[in-house]
Amino acid sequence: MANDQDAASSYRPATVAVTVGRPPSTPDAPMNVPVTFASTYVAGGDVEYGRFGNPTWAAFEEALGALEGGRCLSFASGLAAVATVLDLVGTDQVVVAARHSYNGTIMQLADLESRGRLKARLVDLTNLDEVIAACEGAALVWLESPTNPALEVADIPAIREAAHAAGAYLVVDNTFATPVLQRPLELDVDIVVHSATKYIAGHSDVLMGAVLTRDEELYRVLKGRRDLIGAVPGPMEAWLALRGLRTLHLRVERAQANAQELVRRLSAHPAISEVRYPGFGGIISIVVAEGALAADLLTHKTSLWINATSLGGVESTFERRRRWKSEPATIPEGLVRMSVGIEDVEDLWDDLERCLDDLH
Ligand SMILES: *Cc1c(COP(=O)(O)O)cnc(C)c1O
């Protein structure tokens, strides 16, 4: 990949997404990286064994690393990436985290705390004073911005100041924004985490995660944890995620344009009491005025929108979040999180409007 590398460093992000992580450009070389199924390698090289590395992961890591501006490690899932990062924290140390972070992250923190591994301080991301005060004495500060599904946005530079003053690592889960809309490492954040299952892979057919950092020492430690714990992706997953990444810009731009138009129309509909949208991205949360039952009715009556959890795929999906017992009580019963896909916005709206009109 050496001959492409120099040119790639000057390319803009959409070009980087298409070009980085290809095999060397020599006659008859495949243009795209092949899927390498290998549990072991001939001895004497850098990789040696399938838990330590794989050429297909390496291509994915190179591409996502170039987009986020750091070194990348791929994982079996987003939560495998989260677990590996939380493992940096020593026994009894404090982790500050946004109360409305991804449910699985909050559950991992609760699990670790219940077993005496760490202390979790959950904060309201919209109250900057509270977040800054909580950073005192922390070892790690975990942000998600925007949060899932409350869609709160963090003041990353202000929180970074407080986290670094306390000597804590600052981590941002960038799953919702993607490197197309937000590059936290450029804001001097220490670690970025992704559920690549969502926008990065983008087609609702892969589970994968990623961790990124600019800090060589942190990279070495995190790679060591991955080598040891073994929550590594399959080569086919890495290949699918890289294939998805090639169109990330187009998908995010289209999903965002659709979302912005839907926000305008949803805000004017009397069946909806609240529309939450941070102004960017493809995720909208609406609160159905008449509550849980009406929200359930909506998610079961559409024909184009699919009632399903997860997000960031090409297809539009939505779900009532409180159908999950683990969802915090601070999320309204009637809140429906919508992951806007890349379909024609008029079809998306027709389907929603028909069902919303029935509710009203
Ligand atoms: C889905 C998700 C995760 C977990 O990722 P998996 O790939 O499902 O393990 C973590 N963070 C956010 C913001 C998510 O949406």
Side-chain angles (χ1 to χ4, degrees), residues 106-126:
I106 295 295
M107 285 164 75
Q108 278 197 17
L109 284 168
D111 174 60
L112 290 166
E113 185 164 40
S114 75
R115 292 187 287 115
R117 262 284 285 113
L118 52 77
K119 294 193 174 65
R121 255 181 222 160
L122 300 186
V123 292
D124 176 358
L125 208 59
T126 61

Side-chain angles (χ1 to χ4, degrees), residues 8-20:
S9 60
S10 64
Y11 289 145
R12 292 160 187 83
T15 316
V16 168
V18 173
T19 41
V20 177

Side-chain angles (χ1 to χ4, degrees), residues 219-301:
Y219 175 85
R220 199 187 56 74
V221 170
L222 290 163
K223 166 108 174 38
R225 300 304 304 167
R226 187 182 69 173
D227 288 353
L228 203 57
I229 294 172
V232 294
M236 193 68 210
E237 277 73 5
W239 187 87
L240 283 167
L242 178 58
R243 185 186 169 113
L245 185 72
R246 300 295 188 212
T247 56
L248 179 67
H249 281 70
L250 288 177
R251 289 184 286 104
V252 168
E253 279 166 26
R254 175 60 173 262
Q256 176 170 266
N258 282 352
Q260 287 170 345
E261 182 56 30
L262 290 176
V263 163
R264 210 177 54 74
R265 299 184 190 186
L266 288 163
S267 302
H269 201 285
I272 294 167
S273 57
E274 190 185 347
V275 177
R276 297 190 188 182
Y277 184 66
F280 61 93
I283 311 289
I284 308 167
S285 287
I286 55 172
V287 180
V288 176
E290 289 186 29
L293 223 60
D296 278 335
L297 222 75
L298 170 67
T299 55
H300 286 86
K301 284 185 77 175

Side-chain angles (χ1 to χ4, degrees), residues 33-39 41 54-57 234-236 239:
V33 73
V35 191
T36 301
F37 291 107
S39 64
Y41 303 90
N54 173 287
T56 317
W57 310 349
M236 193 68 210
W239 187 87

Side-chain angles (χ1 to χ4, degrees), residues 43-309:
D46 294 331
V47 182
E48 299 276 9
Y49 186 56
R51 186 160 20 80
F52 306 147
N54 173 287
T56 317
W57 310 349
F60 169 79
E61 289 168 352
E62 203 182 329
L64 184 56
L67 281 180
E68 287 281 8
R71 290 192 76 185
C72 177
L73 288 162
S74 46
F75 286 85
S77 68
L79 277 187
V82 171
T84 304
V85 172
L86 289 180
D87 212 33
L88 291 172
V89 176
T91 301
D92 278 341
Q93 288 190 315
V94 171
V95 174
V96 173
R99 179 177 306 139
H100 290 153
S101 299
Y102 176 69
N103 217 265
T105 305
I106 295 295
M107 285 164 75
Q108 278 197 17
L109 284 168
D111 174 60
L112 290 166
E113 185 164 40
S114 75
R115 292 187 287 115
R117 262 284 285 113
L118 52 77
K119 294 193 174 65
R121 255 181 222 160
L122 300 186
V123 292
D124 176 358
L125 208 59
T126 61
N127 183 342
L128 186 59
D129 291 340
E130 182 191 340
V131 180
I132 286 175
C135 289
E136 182 75 39
L140 191 142
V141 177
W142 189 281
L143 297 182
E144 204 176 286
S145 188
T147 56
N148 175 6
L151 300 179
E152 301 143 337
V153 175
D155 183 343
I156 294 175
I159 298 168
R160 176 202 62 215
E161 290 300 306
H164 286 173
Y169 290 127
L170 180 59
V171 184
V172 171
D173 182 332
N174 205 30
T175 299
F176 270 41
T178 83
V180 176
L181 302 173
Q182 173 171 280
R183 282 180 291 281
L185 296 179
E186 290 177 359
L187 301 173
D188 208 17
V189 164
D190 302 293
I191 298 171
V192 163
V193 169
H194 272 286
S195 169
T197 308
K198 314 294 167 55
Y199 284 104
I200 303 240
H203 295 72
S204 311
D205 50 13
V206 178
L207 275 182
M208 226 176 105
V211 173
L212 296 108
T213 182
R214 285 183 170 178
D215 182 324
E216 282 301 318
E217 176 60 15
L218 263 180
Y219 175 85
R220 199 187 56 74
V221 170
L222 290 163
K223 166 108 174 38
R225 300 304 304 167
R226 187 182 69 173
D227 288 353
L228 203 57
I229 294 172
V232 294
M236 193 68 210
E237 277 73 5
W239 187 87
L240 283 167
L242 178 58
R243 185 186 169 113
L245 185 72
R246 300 295 188 212
T247 56
L248 179 67
H249 281 70
L250 288 177
R251 289 184 286 104
V252 168
E253 279 166 26
R254 175 60 173 262
Q256 176 170 266
N258 282 352
Q260 287 170 345
E261 182 56 30
L262 290 176
V263 163
R264 210 177 54 74
R265 299 184 190 186
L266 288 163
S267 302
H269 201 285
I272 294 167
S273 57
E274 190 185 347
V275 177
R276 297 190 188 182
Y277 184 66
F280 61 93
I283 311 289
I284 308 167
S285 287
I286 55 172
V287 180
V288 176
E290 289 186 29
L293 223 60
D296 278 335
L297 222 75
L298 170 67
T299 55
H300 286 86
K301 284 185 77 175
T302 49
S303 42
L304 181 56
W305 289 81
I306 303 166
N307 182 25
T309 197

